[in-house]
């Protein structure tokens, strides 16, 4: 099922699937669109990747709701870390919950053939609902939900955001080619992987805190929001576009510069950025 954005894929599908009798159990770090999708249902959140808390909630809600759905990201958008999908699937099975994975940042990047965090953990056939976006690896605009055919048909008739709003333009068909290229030209994924390793190691050797990223999202954690904005401006002046991430996207004390490494970045690009960070570290 195609939606006009990844945001709508999450918000519309969840609003259609989960109601007052149901409960969404979400990792605290999921994307804002998931939170919006849960507005018509009950919601409990567990601390990021904390499996004990997740299990506690699953135990607490046993027998109380019609449908339980665990909702997580495959790759988290601010830290770039990957969810322990195998363990979460196991918990979902044990307590009879559905599992929805938003792999917006995993598809095309993670897994042997680019099939995302689900491929990395060999659970591709065990995720009930996969959602994602065309705005990252596929370099387009749009979003999708992968679900059994009957559920996809139900979403088509139940999603107000789909029925009462313009649909995707024919240009979205270009995404089909982008999907084919992931299989046909694996060298891009390999090159991305090399770039990620090179850039991440470079930042670490400068003594910068990149956290626990396992993907193309590389944060440089600074903490103070004012300092983070200043670093963003200095990088921009040096000709480098990054995303300074501040509250409410992250907690107030967790401000960071967030970067996304691409396969088309050259060594020159990456070195220029590393040199800029080195300079900023020296003068700040
Ligand atoms: C994890 C995650 N899901 C969904 C989205 C929304 O996708 P889109 O930009 O296509 O609306 C984003 C960010 O853009 C994201 O980081």
């Amino acid at each position: 099922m195609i939606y006009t954005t990844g945001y709508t894929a999450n918000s519309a599908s969840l609003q259609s699937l989960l109601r007052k009798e149901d409960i969404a159990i979400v990792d605290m770090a999921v994307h804002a669109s998931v939170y919006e999708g849960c507005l018509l249902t009950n919601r409990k959140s567990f601390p990021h990747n904390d499996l004990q808390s997740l299990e506690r909630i699953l135990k607490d809600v046993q027998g109380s709701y019609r449908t339980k759905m665990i909702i997580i990201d495959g790759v988290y958008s601010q830290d770039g870390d990957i969810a322990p999908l195998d363990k979460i699937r196991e918990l979902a099975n044990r307590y009879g919950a559905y599992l929805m994975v938003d792999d917006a940042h995993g598809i095309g990047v993670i897994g042997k053939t680019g099939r995302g965090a689900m491929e990395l953990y060999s659970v591709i056939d065990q995720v009930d609902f996969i959602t994602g976006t065309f705005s990252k690896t596929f370099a387009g605009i749009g979003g999708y939900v992968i679900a059994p055919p009957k559920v996809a048909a139900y979403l088509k008739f139940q999603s107000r955001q789909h029925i009462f709003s313009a649909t995707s333009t024919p240009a979205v068909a270009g995404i089909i080619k982008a999907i084919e290229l992931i299989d046909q030209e694996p060298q891009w994924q390999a090159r991305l992987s090399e770039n990620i390793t090179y850039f991440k190691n470079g930042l670490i050797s400068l003594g910068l805190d990149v956290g626990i990223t396992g993907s193309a999202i590389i944060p440089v954690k600074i903490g103070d929001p004012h300092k983070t904005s200043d670093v963003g401006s200095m990088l921009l002046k040096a000709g480098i576009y990054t995303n300074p991430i501040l509250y409410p996207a992250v907690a107030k004390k967790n401000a960071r510069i967030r970067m996304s490494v691409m396969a088309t970045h050259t060594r020159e690009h990456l070195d220029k950025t590393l040199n800029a960070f080195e300079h900023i570290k020296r003068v700040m």
Side-chain angles (χ1 to χ4, degrees):
M1 168 69 185
I2 301 291
Y3 288 95
T4 43
T5 64
Y7 189 103
T8 323
N10 282 335
S11 62
S13 63
L14 285 166
Q15 282 176 15
S16 304
L17 291 171
L18 300 177
R19 295 291 163 84
K20 282 197 196 93
E21 307 77 15
D22 309 311
I23 186 160
I25 304 166
V26 307
D27 186 295
M28 273 178 180
V30 289
H31 191 257
S33 51
V34 170
Y35 281 97
E36 186 175 305
C38 296
L39 289 178
L40 304 181
T41 188
N42 303 285
R43 173 173 63 78
K44 280 187 189 283
S45 308
F46 57 95
H48 182 46
N49 278 343
D50 181 340
L51 300 183
Q52 279 182 350
S53 298
L54 170 59
E55 183 160 17
R56 206 172 311 125
I57 294 174
L58 285 164
K59 263 188 197 150
D60 284 351
V61 302
Q62 253 176 330
S64 307
Y65 296 94
R66 180 179 63 181
T67 298
K68 301 182 279 287
M69 176 127 69
I70 301 171
I71 306 151
I72 55 173
D73 287 0
V75 173
Y76 284 88
S77 55
Q78 301 307 339
D79 278 329
D81 59 321
I82 303 169
L85 281 172
D86 50 346
K87 297 199 175 83
I88 294 180
R89 181 66 260 181
E90 229 175 83
L91 283 174
N93 288 350
R94 198 177 316 149
Y95 292 94
Y98 287 99
L99 179 61
M100 178 184 272
V101 178
D102 173 357
D103 209 15
H105 297 276
I107 299 286
V109 177
I110 308 283
K112 199 157 175 272
T113 65
R115 279 156 173 78
M118 283 92 48
E119 184 179 17
L120 190 71
Y121 281 106
S122 309
V123 294
I124 227 162
D125 300 328
Q126 299 164 44
V127 174
D128 301 297
F129 306 99
I130 298 171
T131 67
T133 177
F134 298 147
S135 72
K136 316 229 182 271
T137 300
F138 303 121
I141 289 283
Y144 57 89
V145 176
I146 302 173
K150 274 189 182 169
V151 179
Y154 171 83
L155 290 177
K156 224 166 258 182
F157 291 102
Q158 283 296 316
S159 304
R160 300 173 65 80
Q161 297 86 338
H162 179 70
I163 300 167
F164 296 109
S165 183
T167 192
S168 304
T169 67
V172 82
I175 302 299
I176 295 166
K177 189 65 195 169
I179 292 169
E180 285 169 7
L181 286 176
I182 291 180
D183 277 340
Q184 288 165 6
E185 299 185 2
Q187 68 269 27
W188 296 106
Q189 197 194 347
R191 208 154 110 190
L192 175 60
S193 179
E194 279 168 29
N195 278 353
I196 292 169
T197 306
Y198 181 80
F199 190 54
K200 195 163 82 171
N201 288 343
L203 291 167
I204 292 170
S205 67
L206 292 174
L208 298 167
D209 180 5
V210 299
I212 50 168
T213 179
S215 67
I217 298 166
I218 313 277
V220 168
K221 297 189 172 192
I222 295 172
D224 180 73
H226 302 292
K227 204 169 162 192
T228 303
S229 295
D230 289 346
V231 172
S233 304
M234 290 165 92
L235 287 166
L236 196 57
K237 267 197 197 124
I240 300 155
Y241 177 79
T242 61
N243 303 122
I245 303 286
L246 312 172
Y247 176 83
V250 292
K252 281 182 182 147
K253 60 180 188 331
N254 275 336
R256 79 271 313 266
I257 296 290
R258 174 180 178 269
M259 293 166 283
S260 303
V261 178
M262 302 194 303
T264 46
H265 280 141
T266 60
R267 273 296 142 89
E268 208 179 16
H269 292 138
L270 301 177
D271 284 339
K272 181 176 166 172
T273 311
L274 292 171
N275 291 339
F277 269 107
E278 189 176 26
H279 171 75
I280 291 168
K281 201 170 170 235
R282 226 179 313 119
V283 299
M284 262 193 122

